[in-house]
Amino acid sequence: MQIIEGAGRWTAPVGAANDWVEHLRVPDLSVGTYCIPAGGLDDQSPHTEDEIYVVTAGRARIVTPDGAAEVCPGSVIFVPAGEEHRFDEVTEDLALLVVFGPAYGSRAPDRRAG
């Protein structure tokens, strides 16, 4: 067992537009916190792993090719691997608990090869 203190808690980005902190990584999943300040831009690219977001603070809208939805504390969002997605219209500092399966980046092509 492991208790992850502070996961999902808002942290103001320092020196970057957004803040990503990975709290736990094992082969089959990883857990982290992603924070976007009010009025901020989400600049992420699609991931190679399935992803679950749990909104712990703030308000925004998530946009995918299939549509858009307002999110607020308690919202749980599933984004399948490879799906374009971003948060926009961040009206309150947004804190997201993020779970990747398998671990974040583990399916990404090895950039050292070739």
Side-chain angles (χ1 to χ4, degrees), residues 6-114:
R9 186 176 302 142
W10 165 256
T11 303
V14 177
N18 305 317
D19 186 59
W20 163 252
V21 176
E22 186 174 70
H23 304 291
L24 172 74
R25 172 181 285 265
V26 295
D28 291 333
L29 65 86
S30 61
V31 176
T33 301
Y34 185 43
C35 296
I36 306 168
L41 299 174
D42 181 9
D43 58 0
Q44 66 180 309
S45 300
H47 311 294
T48 53
E49 300 77 30
D50 290 333
E51 183 174 18
I52 292 176
Y53 291 102
V54 179
V55 180
T56 60
R59 295 185 180 280
R61 184 174 76 140
I62 187 164
V63 179
T64 72
D66 293 331
E70 301 297 318
V71 297
C72 61
S75 297
V76 178
I77 306 133
F78 171 70
V79 179
E83 183 173 79
E84 297 261 347
H85 62 286
R86 73 180 186 285
F87 292 93
D88 71 4
E89 298 181 13
V90 180
T91 58
E92 296 176 12
D93 293 341
L94 187 64
L96 304 154
L97 180 66
V98 187
V99 179
F100 286 98
Y104 175 69
S106 63
R107 291 183 181 165
D110 185 352
R111 298 194 195 314
R112 294 171 293 171

